[in-house]
Amino acid sequence: MKRRAFSSLCGVALFAALGFTNSAISQTYPDKPIKLIVPFPPGGGTDIVGRVLADQLAKQTGWKVVVENKPGAGGTIGLDAAAKSKADGYTVVLGQNSNMAIAPSLMSALPYDPIKDFTPITLVTASPLAITVGANSPFKTLADLVAAAKKNPGSLLFASPGNATVAHLTGEYFKKVAGVSYKHVPYKGTSQALPDVISGRASFYIASLESSKGPVKSGQLRPLAVTSSKRHPLWPDVPTVSESGFPDFQAGTWWGIAVPADTPNQVVARLDSEFEKVLKTPAVVERLGSLVPLGQGPFSRELAADRKKWAGVIEAAGIKKN
């Protein structure tokens, strides 16, 4: 009896100590810079979103927030770095459905588990994708591109921001739906792909609307279609893929803030609260432009739904794991 009572007292003491530690952490957090890992190079859609969030978070809280770009392998290098970081709230990462929902079905040696190794903080925003070509491309419509792909199977080069990205999978999905053949050329991000798309060395490009809108506005790219269910307000004259002869075709990307698993609950709650405020700030709404801030809490549901959807696309297309 004495031993059992002693064990119970130890358990109570342990929980009390843990509670005190978490409370102490929440009161002093943060006492050093917070690192926001962006798993793509500067200049692309993910980088744009990450820097808008980091800038507003710093202004709002007085915290020092440092953006660190860790590109490569469709964003999985940056996610792996975040997963292996200390779970203390000083490393956060801007993940996407590409490297969190799709990568597990495409990469046999994925160095992290998107569900076990991360705690989702909040869903940031979502975007349809754009199918674009260089301004001097002979393709004026999506029908032109499809006709060329059918006439010369395998001759067109499809550029994406990287293997295992939602853009890559959308290209594979469209290939099957349209009944055509073309070659995929993965890049490390938008800034690396654009020169080849603009020059015509790559036949067409699929990426988020956010990363495509600048080159389209400057006249370097021509949009052929968007992958949303309805035309996007940014480009009201650009048809959807569905309108272009492929009914019910729809795809998109989303971004979410996450931290390494086992990050203290109080820190997770603090980050969630601050990022929710960030996403409601008029300045952020304005700076995100075509993207609508969501701030709907943890993106666990979106992660599960997209894993199922894209795993089905991968299986139907006969794509093997790398």
Side-chain angles (χ1 to χ4, degrees), residues 127-279:
S127 170
L129 304 176
I131 302 177
T132 61
V133 295
N136 296 322
S137 169
F139 307 136
K140 307 298 182 184
T141 66
L142 190 60
D144 292 341
L145 190 152
V146 170
K150 287 185 174 181
K151 184 177 181 180
N152 298 294
S155 63
L156 299 188
L157 300 181
F158 149 52
S160 83
N163 274 319
T165 61
V166 70
H168 169 205
L169 263 292
T170 298
E172 299 296 339
Y173 183 26
F174 183 70
K175 180 191 295 184
K176 185 170 181 64
V177 169
V180 296
S181 174
Y182 43 70
K183 296 177 182 177
H184 175 229
V185 182
Y187 291 79
K188 285 187 176 182
T190 297
S191 56
Q192 284 70 30
L194 281 178
D196 283 356
V197 181
I198 293 169
S199 69
R201 288 191 292 271
S203 309
F204 66 103
Y205 185 52
I206 299 179
S208 70
L209 216 66
E210 187 64 20
S211 59
S212 303
K213 71 177 184 179
V216 168
K217 185 176 182 180
S218 66
Q220 296 174 301
L221 294 182
R222 178 190 306 129
L224 301 183
V226 292
T227 63
S228 46
S229 59
K230 298 179 181 179
R231 295 195 182 196
H232 197 278
L234 182 68
W235 300 334
D237 297 329
V238 177
T240 65
V241 175
S242 184
E243 286 180 291
S244 302
F246 306 95
D248 301 322
F249 187 97
Q250 188 176 346
T253 189
W254 49 257
W255 291 268
I257 291 289
V259 292
D262 299 324
T263 297
N265 292 338
Q266 284 83 351
V267 172
V268 170
R270 181 73 188 278
L271 286 169
D272 177 48
S273 175
E274 295 299 344
F275 274 111
E276 291 284 341
K277 293 175 187 175
V278 163
L279 292 168

Side-chain angles (χ1 to χ4, degrees), residues 100-101 104 112-120 259 261 300 303-304 307:
M100 299 197 82
Y112 57 87
D113 185 308
I115 294 177
K116 294 180 181 180
D117 292 340
F118 293 97
T119 296
V259 292
S300 305
L303 178 56
R307 285 192 72 165

Side-chain angles (χ1 to χ4, degrees), residues 27-194:
Q27 289 175 11
T28 60
Y29 175 85
D31 57 7
K32 62 181 180 180
I34 294 174
K35 177 171 64 179
L36 171 59
I37 293 179
V38 172
F40 285 93
T46 304
D47 182 65
I48 292 169
V49 173
R51 291 181 185 278
V52 168
L53 296 178
D55 182 54
Q56 184 59 37
L57 182 62
K59 289 179 180 178
Q60 173 178 293
T61 61
W63 301 347
K64 184 172 183 180
V65 185
V66 180
V67 173
E68 182 174 326
N69 294 89
K70 281 188 172 293
T76 60
I77 289 177
L79 265 289
D80 183 41
K84 291 178 171 56
S85 298
K86 189 175 181 180
D88 56 5
Y90 290 97
T91 298
V92 299
V93 64
L94 183 59
Q96 291 172 278
N97 54 351
S98 292
N99 40 50
M100 299 197 82
I102 293 174
S105 296
L106 276 182
M107 303 178 71
S108 57
L110 191 66
Y112 57 87
D113 185 308
I115 294 177
K116 294 180 181 180
D117 292 340
F118 293 97
T119 296
I121 297 291
T122 190
L123 187 65
V124 173
T125 187
S127 170
L129 304 176
I131 302 177
T132 61
V133 295
N136 296 322
S137 169
F139 307 136
K140 307 298 182 184
T141 66
L142 190 60
D144 292 341
L145 190 152
V146 170
K150 287 185 174 181
K151 184 177 181 180
N152 298 294
S155 63
L156 299 188
L157 300 181
F158 149 52
S160 83
N163 274 319
T165 61
V166 70
H168 169 205
L169 263 292
T170 298
E172 299 296 339
Y173 183 26
F174 183 70
K175 180 191 295 184
K176 185 170 181 64
V177 169
V180 296
S181 174
Y182 43 70
K183 296 177 182 177
H184 175 229
V185 182
Y187 291 79
K188 285 187 176 182
T190 297
S191 56
Q192 284 70 30
L194 281 178

